[in-house]
Amino acid sequence: MHGKRQLITLAAGLLASTASATDFRITMPAANVAGGIDASTDGRLILIITPDAAKEPRFQVRLGAEAPQVLGINVEGLKPGGSAIIGTGVLGYPAEDLSAVPAGDYIVQAVLHKYQTYKLASGHTVKLPAARGAGQNWRAEPGNIISEPMKIRFDPASKATVTVPLTKVLPPIAEAKDSEFIRHFKIKSERLSKFWGTDVFIRGHVLVPKGFDKHPNARYPLIVNHGHFPDDFGGFSPTPPDPNVPCKPEPRFSEPCYNRIEAQEAHDFYKKWTSDGFPRMLIVEIDHSNPYYDDSYAVNSANLGPYGDAIMREFIPDLEKRYRGIGEGWARFSYGGSTGGWEALAVQLFYPDEFNGVFAACPDPIDFRQFTNINLYEDKNVMWREGPFGRVARPAHRNYLGHVDYMVEQEQRLELVLGDKSRSGQQWDIWEAVYSPQGPDGYPQRIFDKRTGVIDPKVAAHWRENYDLVHIMKRDWKTLGPKVKDKINLYVGDMDNYYLNNAVYLAEDFLKTAEPKFTGEITYGDRAEHCWNGDPSLPNKTSRLRYNSMYMGKIMKRIETSAPKGADLTSWRY
């Protein structure tokens, strides 16, 4: 849930405009700009306005009180040298309209997030942003066209128009290179390519064990570390941290030098991974970024295609063949946090014989009766709790003290500014893209109206039957339970920022009374925020960096107690 933000320092020397403005004309560059532009471009044109000159406006976009002003419109067939106007009447966030933005001196920047046309196997034609190497991040996706940050004087009372020229095409991102311990591969998925009407690839970043090349006869268990888009395998570094590297603070943890903590943890994991006696296994992080989000949720979907089967029937067998995996369900495990926590639990339930255990931390809502803090089946509106004489806004994000940072309505509006038709690349839109039926226009059916918050009960019913994991466990426990009753482990902080603990409570209510009896683990972190993953002895800021080591003891115990007779328990124990 909610992927990483990227930050850079703004270069000195802003382009300047002294004119007051009420409208902005964003212009396309000529065709011969470095990197090149198409003869005709479709996409989402995004304008950011901010008083903060410390970093580029595109990297400041976020939710909350300190958010910059953002506005967005669709463009179709925009030609080199062409232009589009963003002015009053265009939906914005935090202010809904430019007319509500105070007069003042600001920095502005425009980004054209390019769309590609897909002719789907369903017969529909849709326009979506292709995944081009940045994890579906409109701020940095190669091929997107940006303007230089520009200083302006804004006055909503003025009738002037300021021109913001798009000048730079973002360059391609080089693919990661192999090293002694981290290997990379990709496959073309026939299933997904057929669905999308174009070649679709899934990439893997594989951590191989010490001695991998020296033990060609060894076969290894496999761990799938589910989560958001990885540009490489994270949290592993043979190089000791540089004590002189400049500090990067993490306000969430009140840590002035969190990057140094991350670097030390990455090196400490390398030392564990290569130590004598540490289990020799394969761990993979999967890049399944797609036109809707930075990952696919690892399940089959009417709008994203059969990613579940593509991963399980194409990607995993190829990985295990290339890197000598054991290739049997007893020797596979999955874990992850947030989005990765939901994915890990989902693949254990949807492919129960293919995995031998799941460790799901702070999972995205696993019971849609508490979809964060909303009951999608009984509530009428996701944005408001309504009574006969008034209504109260629903909160979307809190801290461990319960202080609220922003509301559901604000979250939905920012997504709508960044892209309509579930194309924002943000959290609620990917839930909709994964869980909803495909609409008559080829885009996901809305679970609720993005402006009013009114829920569509027919779409909610589709979500329940196909993706509400607690409902599915209840419905299918007679046959599913014997296969997973001792494989499920859930962890969440009881003050999760996104209220994700609420759904885990409902899962526990069912599992503790289920027959056959559930024997897994459900644990809560006292006052722990997102994304607490099960270690009460460590602060969240530390344990969240230890996914690849903290469950290893439990995985080994599971293997020892459940491996079938004749299983290979020795070739990988060197």
Side-chain angles (χ1 to χ4, degrees), residues 184-210:
H184 308 87
F185 78 106
K186 68 179 180 180
I187 67 157
K188 176 186 171 182
S189 167
E190 297 300 332
R191 288 171 170 85
L192 293 171
S193 298
K194 179 179 179 181
F195 177 91
W196 285 100
T198 189
D199 290 349
V200 176
F201 296 88
I202 304 175
R203 290 169 169 80
H205 310 308
V206 183
L207 183 65
V208 300
K210 179 182 179 181

Side-chain angles (χ1 to χ4, degrees), residues 63-85:
L63 288 153
E66 302 302 318
Q69 182 64 36
V70 192
L71 303 107
I73 60 171
N74 290 335
V75 294
E76 293 196 8
L78 197 58
K79 300 185 184 320
S83 65
I85 296 288

Side-chain angles (χ1 to χ4, degrees), residues 118-430:
Y118 294 91
K119 297 184 181 299
L120 304 180
S122 64
H124 296 98
T125 298
V126 295
K127 295 181 179 182
L128 293 162
R132 302 188 292 270
Q136 203 48 264
N137 181 355
W138 60 267
R139 304 163 184 84
E141 207 66 57
N144 282 356
I145 311 171
I146 68 171
S147 72
E148 295 294 333
M150 187 171 98
K151 185 175 181 180
I152 62 136
R153 173 71 181 173
F154 177 80
D155 184 354
S158 170
K159 295 183 179 180
T161 297
V162 165
T163 297
V164 180
L166 298 170
T167 59
K168 179 182 178 182
V169 179
L170 296 179
I173 297 173
E175 294 199 21
K177 296 182 179 180
D178 287 356
S179 65
E180 179 183 359
F181 292 102
I182 299 175
R183 314 291 171 89
H184 308 87
F185 78 106
K186 68 179 180 180
I187 67 157
K188 176 186 171 182
S189 167
E190 297 300 332
R191 288 171 170 85
L192 293 171
S193 298
K194 179 179 179 181
F195 177 91
W196 285 100
T198 189
D199 290 349
V200 176
F201 296 88
I202 304 175
R203 290 169 169 80
H205 310 308
V206 183
L207 183 65
V208 300
K210 179 182 179 181
F212 176 80
D213 294 321
K214 296 179 180 179
H215 293 80
N217 295 319
R219 298 293 182 268
Y220 302 97
L222 172 66
I223 300 170
V224 180
N225 183 354
H226 277 294
H228 288 288
F229 167 79
D231 55 5
D232 202 344
F233 194 95
F236 182 90
S237 176
T239 306
D242 180 357
N244 299 314
V245 69
C247 284
K248 293 181 181 179
E250 177 47 74
R252 178 184 166 200
F253 300 126
S254 300
E255 280 292 345
C257 294
Y258 193 61
N259 58 314
R260 294 184 182 179
I261 293 174
E262 290 176 312
Q264 185 62 58
E265 286 292 325
H267 184 58
D268 288 347
F269 176 52
Y270 158 76
K271 291 190 289 186
K272 288 180 183 177
W273 187 251
T274 57
S275 64
D276 293 340
F278 196 86
R280 309 303 182 201
M281 298 190 180
L282 304 169
I283 305 179
V284 64
E285 295 184 1
I286 308 173
D287 171 10
H288 40 132
S289 53
N290 58 79
Y292 282 104
Y293 198 52
D294 74 356
D295 71 33
S296 70
Y297 275 63
V299 293
N300 297 336
S301 163
N303 297 294
L304 273 69
Y307 266 96
D309 287 347
I311 291 171
M312 292 305 303
R313 307 305 180 209
E314 297 176 275
F315 178 83
I316 294 293
D318 190 289
L319 184 161
E320 291 175 328
K321 182 178 179 180
R322 288 174 187 256
Y323 300 105
R324 307 196 308 272
I326 290 173
E328 298 178 17
W330 68 266
R332 294 193 198 104
F333 297 83
S334 66
Y335 50 67
S338 194
T339 291
W342 190 94
E343 291 170 343
L345 180 58
V347 297
Q348 181 67 82
L349 298 178
F350 293 172
Y351 304 91
D353 297 320
E354 303 301 321
F355 289 93
N356 197 17
V358 54
F359 304 87
C362 51
D364 282 12
I366 57 176
D367 188 314
F368 296 172
R369 294 172 299 166
Q370 282 294 312
F371 201 85
T372 66
N373 53 19
I374 302 155
N375 187 329
L376 289 179
Y377 312 134
E378 296 184 5
D379 290 334
K380 305 298 182 184
N381 196 298
V382 301
M383 298 177 186
W384 309 96
R385 293 183 59 197
E386 298 179 308
F389 303 110
R391 63 181 188 174
V392 176
R394 290 187 189 274
H397 190 276
R398 64 180 175 181
N399 69 6
Y400 78 99
L401 294 173
H403 299 164
V404 174
D405 298 303
Y406 50 84
M407 300 297 182
V408 173
E409 185 278 330
Q410 295 170 314
E411 193 169 27
Q412 304 309 319
R413 183 151 44 89
L414 177 57
E415 291 197 4
L416 200 53
V417 167
L418 295 177
D420 62 353
K421 299 182 183 294
S422 307
R423 294 184 290 193
S424 71
Q426 303 301 302
Q427 184 59 74
W428 287 80
D429 275 352
I430 186 56

Side-chain angles (χ1 to χ4, degrees), residues 54-105:
K55 54 184 176 285
E56 287 191 53
R58 61 186 164 129
F59 294 111
Q60 297 182 36
V61 175
R62 62 192 183 277
L63 288 153
E66 302 302 318
Q69 182 64 36
V70 192
L71 303 107
I73 60 171
N74 290 335
V75 294
E76 293 196 8
L78 197 58
K79 300 185 184 320
S83 65
I85 296 288
I86 292 181
T88 55
V90 173
L91 184 66
Y93 171 85
E96 292 199 22
D97 191 273
L98 267 175
S99 61
V101 174
D105 294 322

